[in-house]
Amino acid sequence: MKSPKMKRIFLSACLFCITGQGFAQTLEKMTWFNEPQQWEAKKNSLSMWVTPQSDYWRISHYGFTVDDAPFLYTTYGGEFEAKVKITGDYKARFDQMGLMLRTDKEHYIKAGIEFVDGKYNLSTVVTHTTSDWSVITLDKVPPAVWIKAVRRLDAVEIFYSFDDKDYIMMRNAFLQDNTPVMVGLMAACPDGKGFRATFENFKVTHLPDQRRLKWLENNK
């Protein structure tokens, strides 16, 4: 029969195992970079008024560098899957929101929805010293979009979904391997007066390192 002290230790160990594998995010414990003036985190939802005249971009095509949009993040090493549901009251050209993975100011990926010329675009910006931009224009406005990023080895696969069931790849991009990554929720308003952005059910799930699994399999 376990003593009360042993029971407490056992329960604590069980709780650690449960929470350690799930990586369910507590938004209030995440860190702001460029915190907006208005935001609220409640349960699994983050709502913010996106800072006007803010963005992430480096050099290419436009000739300027900006690094001043809201980004709420947590840091992970190794391989993982990050996922979030996004809805935005987009108003002005280039209003955007989604996931961001970032190692430093010169190396990051941001992916989500960007509002351009009155149309919704599935948008990915990949920055390694300079930025590039790829879009998939949507024919109609979805009620919500789910964005998922899967980091494996030295690459990140970006997916989108309209129902959180069927996911379609929108980008595969390089990101430095074996480097801690800031991963979280980003929104920007380069050309407007701000807009309401809502993120729901953000979650990061640990993925076992494939090389380690292979080594373990070969060295039983």
Side-chain angles (χ1 to χ4, degrees), residues 27 30-33 46 70-74 183-186 202:
L27 295 172
M30 293 169 64
T31 302
W32 275 111
F33 179 61
L46 170 70
F71 176 40
L72 183 66
Y73 71 92
T74 185
V183 55
L185 314 174
M186 178 283 311
F202 173 59

Side-chain angles (χ1 to χ4, degrees), residues 12-139:
S12 296
C14 289
L15 287 170
F16 175 81
C17 291
I18 292 170
T19 58
Q21 293 176 8
F23 284 165
Q25 298 306 312
T26 303
L27 295 172
E28 294 86 347
K29 294 182 179 180
M30 293 169 64
T31 302
W32 275 111
F33 179 61
N34 302 320
E35 180 179 352
Q37 290 188 350
Q38 298 179 32
W39 64 275
E40 181 182 24
K42 185 179 296 184
K43 294 184 179 179
N44 293 323
S45 175
L46 170 70
S47 176
M48 72 168 84
W49 185 259
V50 182
T51 306
Q53 303 292 309
S54 64
D55 199 5
Y56 290 99
W57 187 264
R58 284 189 61 84
I59 304 169
S60 61
H61 187 70
Y62 303 106
F64 57 74
T65 295
V66 283
D67 201 52
D68 58 1
F71 176 40
L72 183 66
Y73 71 92
T74 185
T75 303
Y76 285 98
E79 301 183 358
F80 58 80
E81 174 186 299
K83 184 173 72 170
V84 69
K85 177 184 177 183
I86 58 174
T87 51
D89 184 19
Y90 312 103
K91 299 178 182 296
R93 181 177 59 160
F94 304 132
D95 281 357
Q96 61 191 265
M97 65 182 296
L99 286 174
M100 176 179 269
L101 288 77
R102 173 183 173 112
T103 57
D104 57 45
K105 66 180 182 180
E106 295 186 351
H107 301 90
Y108 57 81
I109 299 170
K110 58 175 182 174
I113 288 289
E114 186 156 353
F115 187 65
V116 184
D117 298 330
K119 294 184 178 295
Y120 284 56
N121 297 271
L122 294 159
S123 168
T124 307
V125 169
V126 177
T127 299
H128 296 299
T129 307
T130 58
S131 297
D132 72 34
W133 182 30
S134 60
V135 298
I136 302 171
T137 302
L138 299 178
D139 295 329

Side-chain angles (χ1 to χ4, degrees), residues 122-172:
L122 294 159
S123 168
T124 307
V125 169
V126 177
T127 299
H128 296 299
T129 307
T130 58
S131 297
D132 72 34
W133 182 30
S134 60
V135 298
I136 302 171
T137 302
L138 299 178
D139 295 329
K140 57 183 180 180
V141 178
V145 176
W146 283 258
I147 300 294
K148 179 169 70 176
V150 179
R151 185 194 190 195
R152 285 286 197 188
L153 304 177
D154 62 353
V156 175
E157 294 176 313
I158 306 294
F159 301 84
Y160 70 92
S161 175
F162 300 130
D163 58 10
D164 195 25
K165 295 177 182 178
D166 297 320
Y167 279 85
I168 300 171
M169 183 185 290
M170 55 191 279
R171 188 72 186 263
N172 184 314

Side-chain angles (χ1 to χ4, degrees), residues 186-197:
M186 178 283 311
C189 179
D191 198 31
K193 297 180 180 180
F195 69 97
R196 179 64 57 190

